[in-house]
Amino acid sequence: MNSELRIADKKDWLKGATGDWEVIIGMEVHAQVSSKAKLFSGASAEYGGEPNDHVSLVDAAMPGMLPVINEFCVEQAVKTGLGLKAQINPHSVFDRKNYFYPDLPQGYQISQYKQPVVGEGVVRVDVEDGHSIDVGIERLHLEQDAGKSLHDQHPNMSFVDLNRSGVALMEIVSRPDMRSADEAKAYVTKLRQIMRYLGTCDGNMEQGSLRADINVSVRRPGEPFGTRCEIKNVNSIRFMGQAIAYEARRQIGVLEDGGKIDQETRLFDAKKGETRSMRSKEEAHDYRYFPDPDLLPLELEADWIAHIKAALPELPDEKRDRFIKDYGLSAYDADVLIAERASAAYFETVAKGRDGKTAANWVINELFGRLNKEGKDIENTPVSADQLGAVIDLIQAGTISGKIAKDVFEIVWTEGGNPAEIVEKRGLRQVTDTGAIEKAVDDIIAGNPDKVEQVKAKPTMLGWFVGQVMKTTGGKANPQAVNQILRQKLGL
Amino acid sequence: MSVDQKTVRRIAHLARIKVSEADVPRLEGELNSILHWIEQLNEVNVEGVEPLTSVVAMKMKKRADVVTDGNYPQDVTRNAPAAEDEFFMVPKVVE
């Protein structure tokens, strides 16, 4: 569908003083390629390090140094392109994007301009309120990252560290297909998820592995696009939402006051929650791109691309659909489980040979709940998938009740161990011996004649009796059996 | 295609080359004669001819994803006009 034609859901329209407005969003996401070495040199691409330690003479742009491309970075870009259901271009070209800045020693960034390695694709995005949109991908190209400047070390000098200089980035350009801050946030979340599944970008936003330039404009619903502003380098999904909300409001204000929007680059100030003009960069927009004479065109063999395609892991959309179909999960549960590849794999281990819904409930409610509470992620879970599976087996076999199972889970979480052995050793086995339960029931009925009278008038009092029986049996009595015997003896 | 004096000043600024006002007319003439010569090339019919990217038929050389370089910050900053603690020092640039 033509990007311009899609009109936002009415609930996403923004009310102005003179009527409704619609916000139009397109994004350029910069994703750092997961690789050991840089795009055109053998220096380490690892985050951090001592100043200028991960720098080769190529990255420092010493005279006579020549770039040699890292084949794995190309593979990562192609893999990402395939994950975005995009066209892979067998012939692409590296260009020089010329500008001067202290963190760019070459005086140009090696990028791809007219012939990127990946062409058009599409991403399905599920927005929180339940609707789905398709966001068109215009292109994905490879380029070098710049170095880092520190401004707080000296009163009138900036310090420059080139460790990041030359690290491979994928710039992923979307069509202006998003119509609300929520859609934009969901799009970036989805891109991040896809790349983490593929292992092509770690998506670590604190370390700057994923940043976005956001193009925002407003229009009257259904009218032609307005003039856009570009908000540079926003590095958290929450800030993206705030920046878009602020910028849309600002533009509506200008237009409703009879002004016009200047196409310009703006910065988001996270502290103030607003965007401001960044006029100094305006002039630099004449980048004078030309093909880099140091690099031949990038030619990709069809076999090589096919090989990468064949080795792609199952992607989030397919996994979600399969979880719903094969395990009978709700869309919501499936989404929670597939958020991370590791959590999906954990769930599948638990669900193997067991009831899918029960496994999902335990993984989502007990495990994820507990992990969240302690700020741990699935990679560091104290309860392994096999241990959790064993707990579920004990419930299914009637060995323990669901309530005791939670206690067993707790013991495994804090102390570790084999759930079946824990149950045996600590005598947590469920009492299914009706004789023992009957005795407990008889004792309680005999000891509480007043309550017996009450329950006859008010059957919901039964819960009190159940509680008493559980108390005297240490929670080990089979709840169904207790209920049944109580009802029978109380004549309910 | 030709350039005027304003464009000459702009190109010089973009390339961070200091050009005195006195030099601008001369550079305007030189640049225009180069552009004029290139325009002559445009007369050649290149219909159906692939762009030449290399004079020898060869594929781009590629490297494996292995860390083979770096760990010499002193060398990297040795020629810098100013450096401290292995950082380059430059006049303050704040956005």
Side-chain angles (χ1 to χ4, degrees):
Chain A
M1 181 171 168
N2 185 327
S3 289
E4 197 156 346
L5 295 180
R6 194 186 141 231
I7 301 174
D9 288 357
K10 272 200 175 148
K11 64 163 185 52
D12 289 329
W13 290 4
L14 299 172
K15 294 254 174 297
T18 59
D20 291 326
W21 296 87
E22 189 183 12
V23 58
I24 309 292
I25 305 150
M27 286 203 172
E28 292 161 26
V29 170
H30 298 262
Q32 186 181 322
V33 173
S34 294
S35 67
K36 293 192 187 76
K38 293 184 179 181
L39 183 55
F40 294 112
S41 85
S44 170
E46 199 183 324
Y47 177 78
E50 294 298 311
N52 289 308
D53 201 26
H54 302 169
V55 179
S56 77
L57 299 180
V58 178
D59 310 316
M62 292 296 169
M65 295 299 117
L66 288 173
V68 179
I69 199 164
N70 180 335
E71 189 168 23
F72 182 67
C73 293
V74 178
E75 182 180 332
Q76 293 283 62
V78 168
K79 208 185 256 188
T80 306
L82 292 168
L84 303 175
K85 316 257 185 279
Q87 171 72 37
I88 306 301
N89 295 326
H91 177 96
S92 66
V93 173
F94 286 98
D95 298 274
R96 291 185 179 180
K97 177 180 180 177
N98 300 280
Y99 66 93
F100 284 98
Y101 210 71
D103 59 17
L104 186 80
Q106 288 168 152
Y108 58 85
Q109 176 193 36
I110 305 179
S111 181
Q112 297 190 292
Y113 185 47
K114 287 197 172 141
Q115 292 170 274
V117 63
V118 176
E120 288 188 34
V122 65
V123 179
R124 186 182 90 187
V125 177
D126 299 308
V127 190
E128 255 181 44
D129 62 12
H131 78 281
S132 291
I133 56 168
D134 279 343
V135 175
I137 300 296
E138 190 177 306
R139 60 186 281 159
L140 176 156
H141 68 251
L142 276 168
E143 63 183 25
Q144 299 175 300
D145 203 348
K148 192 172 81 179
S149 307
L150 299 148
H151 306 296
D152 51 2
Q153 312 285 309
H154 194 280
N156 43 23
M157 301 289 268
S158 290
F159 282 32
V160 178
D161 173 12
L162 298 179
N163 281 350
R164 229 175 52 191
S165 165
V167 167
L169 299 179
M170 297 178 279
E171 178 170 326
I172 304 166
V173 183
S174 84
R175 299 234 172 254
D177 283 350
M178 289 151 276
R179 297 287 181 271
S180 70
D182 282 345
E183 289 185 3
K185 284 158 74 180
Y187 165 71
V188 176
T189 306
K190 185 62 176 281
L191 269 191
R192 180 176 183 275
Q193 184 188 37
I194 291 171
M195 291 189 287
R196 282 175 59 83
Y197 263 63
L198 294 166
T200 56
C201 170
D202 65 20
N204 188 326
M205 304 195 80
E206 289 84 44
Q207 296 181 357
S209 299
L210 201 66
R211 337 190 267 270
D213 298 341
I214 314 166
N215 286 301
V216 179
S217 65
V218 297
R219 68 174 179 185
R220 295 293 189 186
E223 302 224 323
F225 286 161
T227 304
R228 66 174 190 267
C229 290
E230 181 182 14
I231 311 167
K232 276 278 178 201
N233 223 9
V234 187
N235 63 0
S236 102
I237 292 178
R238 192 161 57 89
F239 290 164
M240 287 173 197
Q242 290 173 5
I244 292 166
Y246 176 87
E247 181 60 18
R249 276 287 153 208
R250 185 190 72 83
Q251 292 185 14
I252 291 169
V254 170
L255 292 170
E256 292 196 325
D257 288 345
K260 72 184 240 312
I261 304 297
D262 295 322
Q263 184 165 344
E264 61 175 1
T265 306
R266 299 179 69 85
L267 268 184
F268 178 66
D269 182 332
K271 268 188 212 129
K272 291 187 185 150
E274 54 186 49
T275 66
R276 62 184 153 82
S277 185
M278 200 176 149
R279 297 203 184 276
S280 59
K281 280 243 168 162
E282 288 307 287
E283 190 181 54
H285 269 192
D286 188 347
Y287 291 127
R288 294 151 295 143
Y289 282 99
F290 64 90
D292 191 324
D294 290 341
L295 291 159
L296 284 164
L298 181 61
E299 309 280 354
L300 307 179
E301 307 281 343
D303 280 359
W304 187 75
I305 299 169
H307 205 74
I308 296 172
K309 192 169 188 174
L312 283 184
E314 184 180 34
L315 288 163
D317 287 348
E318 285 90 64
K319 202 182 277 293
R320 175 180 188 267
D321 293 346
R322 183 168 62 81
F323 277 17
I324 292 170
K325 188 167 157 277
D326 291 2
Y327 296 108
L329 303 185
S330 67
Y332 177 83
D333 283 357
D335 275 335
V336 173
L337 291 169
I338 63 141
E340 296 286 338
R341 205 173 156 184
S343 48
Y346 185 102
F347 163 74
E348 291 212 78
T349 308
V350 177
K352 196 171 181 198
R354 301 186 180 97
D355 176 55
K357 276 187 193 167
T358 310
N361 283 341
W362 273 88
V363 171
I364 293 170
N365 299 328
E366 300 308 316
L367 182 77
F368 290 178
R370 193 65 206 266
L371 288 170
N372 273 341
K373 204 168 133 197
E374 307 227 344
K376 283 189 157 76
D377 52 37
I378 190 84
E379 278 87 2
N380 305 313
T381 172
V383 179
S384 73
D386 289 333
Q387 285 170 317
L388 181 53
V391 172
I392 295 172
D393 287 344
L394 291 165
I395 308 171
Q396 299 292 325
T399 312
I400 54 175
S401 66
K403 189 176 166 301
I404 292 289
K406 287 182 187 180
D407 297 341
V408 175
F409 177 86
E410 187 59 34
I411 295 165
V412 176
W413 178 282
T414 46
E415 301 167 31
N418 177 330
E421 280 170 19
I422 291 169
V423 168
E424 284 312 317
K425 262 196 211 138
R426 310 202 181 194
L428 297 173
R429 186 175 268 278
Q430 176 164 252
V431 179
T432 42
D433 170 8
T434 44
I437 297 172
E438 273 184 35
K439 174 157 190 323
V441 169
D442 288 340
D443 289 349
I444 286 158
I445 289 177
N448 300 281
D450 52 330
K451 302 271 188 206
V452 173
E453 280 311 307
Q454 287 173 24
V455 77
K456 288 194 168 145
K458 197 178 157 207
T460 49
M461 272 285 296
L462 188 70
W464 181 85
F465 286 91
V466 176
Q468 293 302 307
V469 177
M470 284 302 180
K471 211 163 149 189
T472 54
T473 58
K476 287 177 285 182
N478 178 310
Q480 285 90 10
V482 173
N483 253 297
Q484 203 187 345
I485 293 165
L486 270 170
R487 283 178 182 282
Q488 186 193 332
K489 300 221 177 222
L490 291 167
L492 292 173
Chain B
M1 188 191 171
S2 64
V3 294
D4 57 12
Q5 298 199 0
K6 193 174 154 224
T7 311
V8 170
R9 283 187 210 100
R10 177 168 161 76
I11 296 167
H13 176 68
L14 284 171
R16 298 296 187 275
I17 295 171
K18 188 170 182 181
V19 170
S20 70
E21 269 308 300
D23 281 337
V24 171
R26 181 177 59 78
L27 284 167
E28 181 192 13
E30 280 183 18
L31 287 172
N32 279 330
S33 72
I34 293 169
L35 288 169
H36 177 69
W37 180 75
I38 291 171
E39 264 169 18
Q40 286 179 28
L41 295 179
N42 276 340
E43 291 166 13
V44 181
N45 182 1
V46 290
E47 188 80 25
V49 180
E50 285 290 307
L52 182 77
T53 48
S54 169
V55 289
V56 278
M58 60 184 286
K59 293 247 183 275
M60 178 155 69
K61 190 172 147 50
K62 297 179 182 125
R63 69 165 73 237
D65 185 34
V66 181
V67 177
T68 54
D69 209 347
N71 288 107
Y72 43 72
Q74 298 86 353
D75 288 352
V76 167
T77 53
R78 179 158 298 150
N79 294 331
E84 197 175 294
D85 301 332
E86 264 77 76
F87 283 106
F88 291 95
M89 289 170 84
V90 299
K92 197 152 218 154
V93 273
V94 190
E95 207 39 78

